[in-house]
Amino acid sequence: MVGVALATVFSAGCSGQVEVGTERSMSKEQLQSFAKEKLEAAAGTKARSVECEGGVPAKVGATQRCILTAIDGTRIGVTATVSNVEGEDVRVNVKVDDQPMG
């Protein structure tokens, strides 16, 4: 099952930086796009979508929950956590839950 493979690959997490400009937060749309891109790159496979509950403020320790939907329809919980903020650059770690959603 593709979803289980994604959960296994993603369990270590991945991170990257995004420039948020003067908004001092990453919008819901930015976060969804960022998380999908980073998770797909880490797994070497495409995901159907990543949907987040909202954006995340550019504040170290801030978190947001998202759901990754694999091509096969498996849904996996994802936590995005801001790990560093330097000026307009925000580093976000993205980690999937250990198990797909039931």
Side-chain angles (χ1 to χ4, degrees):
M1 181 190 298
V2 173
V4 174
L6 286 175
T8 302
V9 170
F10 295 149
S11 65
C14 57
S15 67
Q17 284 185 242
V18 67
E19 187 173 307
V20 296
T22 58
E23 296 299 314
R24 302 303 299 156
S25 66
M26 184 183 294
S27 71
K28 177 180 177 177
E29 293 76 19
Q30 285 176 309
L31 182 58
Q32 289 173 163
S33 177
F34 172 82
K36 186 173 186 284
E37 176 186 314
K38 294 300 177 186
L39 293 171
E40 286 177 339
T45 189
K46 296 288 183 185
R48 183 179 299 166
S49 66
V50 173
E51 297 290 328
C52 300
E53 295 174 358
V56 66
K59 179 179 175 185
V60 174
T63 63
Q64 184 56 263
R65 286 294 289 168
C66 304
I67 297 173
L68 177 142
T69 302
I71 295 296
D72 68 0
T74 301
R75 295 167 36 104
I76 305 166
V78 177
T79 301
T81 305
V82 176
S83 61
N84 190 26
V85 178
E86 290 186 25
E88 295 181 357
D89 292 326
V90 177
R91 180 167 294 275
V92 178
N93 294 326
V94 183
K95 184 175 186 313
V96 299
D97 296 348
D98 293 334
Q99 298 293 318
M101 301 171 85

